[in-house]
């Protein structure tokens, strides 16, 4: 982590939020593209009594929206946070872009991560999907530079958040955290061509792949990984899609709670 005299230290402290008992198992949540750490509010509110819960903003998002998204920088930030909260047992939870960031973090330092939960992060962004994502990402980056397009994106996304089965105060916190079309485009471009499947095989700790049943881009691959790899399990949440932690917050949180209870912190032994 950055030292006290490092200018980046203030950015680190501003981007990171920590709640819950310091001697509990730590759950570090990594948010998806174009949104902020507040997407995890339903999980933070439900889990922080029994777990140490950490959320943070990736580069180009939330409190770091004045920086440019970079995949390696996102992984390094995640690794800094994991290192900072140890020797507590650390469960990394990532959604979409955040899942790929969490996976890379765990693959680079598997002994630092006790368990991994990935949602909407089983797609292979190579081949045709990679080409399509590259095109869409370019359009997002362009749209983020056009004020009326960016405003429309933020307004439409805010309306979608308000329609989710979450408390009004939670929805407003997510909206206040902001939506970032240009960074969404940067993130999409960063995923194209990466072989995340091989990275998953390099992490031998327990892995849970949680997806909404309507997320047809990720569910088939997740179930295939679970069939092929002994340390991987797949769970499908009914009546939910890609944004399953907000579309079915109670069911999603139950999966995180049950998975994380299997990891005891060394300080409690």
């Amino acid at each position: 982590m950055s030292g006290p005299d490092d200018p980046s230290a203030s950015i680190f402290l501003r981007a990171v939020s920590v709640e819950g008992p310091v001697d509990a198992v730590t759950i570090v949540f990594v948010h998806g593209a174009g949104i902020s750490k507040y997407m995890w509010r339903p999980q933070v509110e439900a889990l922080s009594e029994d777990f140490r819960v950490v959320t943070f903003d990736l580069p180009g998002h939330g409190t770091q929206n004045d920086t440019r998204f970079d995949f390696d920088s996102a992984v390094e930030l995640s690794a800094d946070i994991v290192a900072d909260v140890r020797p507590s047992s650390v469960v990394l939870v990532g959604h979409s872009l955040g899942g790929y960031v969490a996976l890379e973090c765990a693959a680079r330092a598997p002994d630092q991560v006790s368990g991994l939960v990935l949602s909407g992060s089983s797609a292979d962004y190579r081949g045709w999907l990679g080409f399509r994502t590259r095109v869409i990402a370019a359009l997002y980056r362009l749209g983020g530079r056009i004020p009326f397009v960016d405003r429309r994106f933020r307004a439409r996304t805010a309306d979608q958040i308000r329609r989710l089965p979450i408390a009004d105060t939670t929805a407003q916190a997510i909206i206040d955290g902001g939506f970032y079309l240009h960074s969404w485009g940067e993130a999409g471009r960063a995923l194209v061509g990466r072989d995340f499947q091989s990275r998953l095989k390099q992490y031998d700790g327990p892995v849970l792949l949680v997806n909404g049943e309507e997320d047809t881009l990720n569910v088939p691959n997740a179930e295939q990984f679970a069939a092929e790899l002994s340390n991987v399990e797949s769970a499908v949440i009914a009546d939910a899609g890609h944004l399953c932690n907000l579309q079915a917050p109670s069911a999603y949180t139950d999966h995180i709670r049950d998975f994380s209870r299997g990891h005891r912190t060394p300080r409690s032994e």
Side-chain angles (χ1 to χ4, degrees):
M1 190 178 79
S2 304
D5 298 323
D6 187 334
S8 64
S10 62
I11 298 174
F12 184 97
L13 294 173
R14 182 162 48 95
V16 181
S17 299
V18 183
E19 300 183 36
V22 68
D23 59 346
V25 171
T26 299
I27 308 174
V28 177
F29 288 94
V30 193
H31 67 78
I35 197 167
S36 75
K37 62 186 177 183
Y38 290 105
M39 73 167 287
W40 296 114
R41 283 312 304 171
Q43 285 69 51
V44 170
E45 292 166 3
L47 297 171
S48 57
E49 183 175 341
D50 298 316
F51 298 93
R52 188 183 186 194
V53 180
V54 180
T55 58
F56 64 99
D57 287 319
L58 293 171
H61 300 77
T63 53
Q64 297 204 74
N65 67 354
D66 55 347
T67 65
R68 181 176 179 179
F69 178 81
D70 175 77
F71 188 82
D72 286 330
S73 296
V75 174
E76 290 169 6
L77 175 58
S78 302
D80 282 348
I81 292 169
V82 169
D84 191 52
V85 299
R86 286 176 60 83
S88 170
S89 294
V90 178
V91 174
L92 263 179
V93 179
H95 173 263
S96 197
L97 167 67
Y100 295 108
V101 170
L103 172 58
E104 183 64 23
C105 180
R108 292 183 186 183
D111 59 325
Q112 301 285 304
V113 178
S114 303
L116 196 57
V117 181
L118 309 176
S119 304
S121 308
S122 300
D124 186 350
Y125 288 94
R126 295 176 294 175
W128 168 247
L129 180 59
F131 173 77
R132 189 179 74 173
T133 301
R134 191 182 298 276
V135 172
I136 294 172
L139 294 174
Y140 281 6
R141 295 196 306 277
L142 176 61
R145 297 188 183 100
I146 303 173
F148 84 87
V149 173
D150 191 53
R151 287 195 299 270
R152 184 178 181 187
F153 164 75
R154 287 186 276 114
R156 290 182 62 186
T157 306
D159 286 342
Q160 292 171 355
I161 294 297
R162 293 188 183 98
R163 292 196 294 268
L164 292 169
I166 55 178
D168 291 344
T169 53
T170 301
Q172 192 59 51
I174 296 171
I175 293 167
D176 291 344
F179 307 111
Y180 306 93
L181 184 58
H182 184 269
S183 293
W184 200 326
E186 292 286 356
R189 179 168 63 176
L191 297 182
V192 174
R194 294 180 182 269
D195 185 1
F196 291 105
Q197 285 68 30
S198 67
R199 302 304 278 164
L200 182 60
K201 295 177 182 178
Q202 292 178 21
Y203 177 70
D204 59 4
V207 178
L208 176 63
L209 304 177
V210 184
N211 294 287
E213 66 175 344
E214 298 167 10
D215 188 351
T216 56
L217 191 63
N218 287 283
V219 170
N221 282 352
E223 294 184 340
Q224 181 178 344
F225 296 147
E228 295 176 352
L229 302 173
S230 60
N231 63 315
V232 177
E233 294 185 7
S234 174
V236 178
I237 299 177
D239 300 321
H242 185 66
L243 203 58
C244 54
N245 81 296
L246 295 174
Q247 294 165 331
S250 295
Y252 186 92
T253 301
D254 286 345
H255 282 295
I256 303 300
R257 181 184 292 107
D258 291 344
F259 181 87
S260 300
R261 278 176 174 164
H263 303 280
R264 295 181 63 195
T265 171
R267 281 177 287 191
S268 67
E269 293 178 348

